[in-house]
Amino acid sequence: MSSIVIKTPEQIEGIRKSAHLAAETLKYLEQFVVPGMKTIDIDKKCEEFVRDHGAIPATKGYRGYKHSCCISPNDVICHGVPNDTIIEHGDIVNIDVTTILNGFYGDTCKMYYAGEVSDYAKRLVETTKECLHVGMKQCFPGNRLNNIGYHIAQFAQKQGYSVVYEFCGHGVGLKFHEAPDVAHIADANTGPILKPGMIFTIEPMINAGKARAKVDRKDGWTARTIDGKLSAQFEHTILITEDGHEALTDVYHDF
Ligand code: MF3
Ligand code: CO
Ligand code: CO
């Protein structure tokens, strides 16, 4: 088991810049998440933007993944492979972008509404956003890591939703996926103690129906809900500071 890296001030500055670019990319992509767009074309816009800013999309070539982001509509939980799927009116869509800038990684995702979306879908998306914030409130030195997942799950379940447990947040910054795993459903007051200089993601995936995921057998990546019901996700890259945390990907304060 590898231990949790405490980042140096120089590393933190590098990771912050990469995280800012990942956040900017999500903002830039907003204009393309509209009915009629193919997800593969959004992926191309993503790659262009990231490269134009001197960075590399971290997912490209990662464990055989071929695209510059993950695009996960409706019942897709995460790792949606960009393809000929056309965005439709009323869809909820997640885009997850990870950048490598000067060797440093920033990782963030958010939900988009394509046209007018049902209240049923909106409530799931807004609750998932709140789950991320409930988790972030637990990010301060001295706290136990698993209090993040404990409080996220308490909150989500109270709203009648289930928490995906087959995918986790993760340490990030010098590599794409570092220690620790950040569970979104966990026992209170367990796990490592948070320390200034730790950087990890919180990225809750919340389902309207059952928690379980199944991975598409054809593309080997796209993870869907087993019951076809909706799923939503938001992700920030979080730095633990002396007095709390800094959400390194929270540039526009829109989630
Ligand atoms: N960005 C995702 C995360 O938040 C990971 C995507 S890996 C991929 O951890 F290979 F599916 F792109
Ligand atoms: Co992540
Ligand atoms: Co991500």
Side-chain angles (χ1 to χ4, degrees):
M1 209 193 79
S2 53
S3 53
I4 306 174
V5 177
I6 303 295
K7 271 80 176 181
T8 67
E10 293 72 27
Q11 290 169 337
I12 290 170
E13 192 40 38
I15 296 163
R16 184 183 285 113
K17 287 205 177 91
S18 188
H20 284 188
L21 176 59
E24 272 179 56
T25 308
L26 290 188
K27 185 52 123 190
Y28 168 74
L29 292 176
E30 227 157 51
Q31 61 192 303
F32 305 113
V33 189
V34 291
M37 277 296 278
K38 283 185 181 160
T39 58
I40 188 72
D41 293 327
I42 300 175
D43 182 71
K44 289 189 185 113
K45 296 291 183 187
C46 176
E47 175 154 20
E48 246 172 54
F49 188 85
V50 169
R51 293 199 192 274
D52 282 353
H53 288 79
I56 301 165
T59 51
K60 198 124 195 172
Y62 177 77
R63 299 186 176 193
Y65 192 84
K66 292 189 175 63
H67 297 87
S68 59
C69 61
C70 299
I71 306 183
S72 305
N74 302 322
D75 66 321
V76 178
I77 296 171
C78 65
H79 302 168
V81 174
N83 57 23
D84 288 334
T85 302
I86 294 171
I87 306 278
E88 287 181 43
H89 193 86
D91 283 354
I92 57 168
V93 182
N94 178 279
I95 302 183
D96 191 334
V97 173
T98 309
T99 47
I100 313 174
L101 182 64
N102 303 316
F104 298 108
Y105 291 72
D107 189 6
T108 182
C109 77
K110 72 167 201 160
M111 301 300 296
Y112 302 81
Y113 294 137
E116 198 75 29
V117 164
S118 71
D119 288 343
Y120 171 83
K122 268 188 200 157
R123 191 177 81 88
L124 174 69
V125 169
E126 293 306 316
T127 303
T128 304
K129 188 189 292 184
E130 236 175 304
C131 282
L132 172 58
H133 292 134
V134 163
M136 285 162 62
K137 274 207 196 101
Q138 296 300 317
C139 291
F140 53 88
N143 197 12
R144 293 284 194 119
L145 178 75
N146 282 340
N147 284 334
I148 295 169
Y150 173 75
H151 286 280
I152 287 173
Q154 288 288 311
F155 182 78
Q157 290 169 349
K158 214 181 292 160
Q159 311 299 318
Y161 295 134
S162 66
V163 180
V164 175
Y165 53 83
E166 290 160 286
F167 304 97
C168 291
H170 49 92
V172 69
L174 308 183
K175 293 190 289 184
F176 197 164
H177 293 107
E178 307 175 8
D181 282 342
V182 180
H184 302 111
I185 176 164
D187 291 329
N189 299 319
T190 62
I193 292 170
L194 301 181
K195 296 195 175 77
M198 288 182 176
I199 298 180
F200 52 80
T201 71
I202 305 178
E203 48 183 296
M205 287 145 273
I206 304 298
N207 292 354
K210 295 193 165 75
R212 281 290 306 281
K214 63 168 191 296
V215 173
D216 188 296
R217 280 197 291 156
K218 280 198 210 118
D219 69 29
W221 284 99
T222 304
R224 293 191 178 81
T225 58
I226 51 165
D227 54 12
K229 293 193 177 174
L230 296 179
S231 183
Q233 182 182 24
F234 286 86
E235 174 179 30
H236 273 316
T237 293
I238 308 284
L239 163 71
I240 302 297
T241 60
E242 294 296 333
D243 57 0
H245 66 266
E246 177 185 340
L248 299 177
T249 44
D250 187 9
V251 175
Y252 295 100
H253 310 297
D254 58 354
F255 68 97

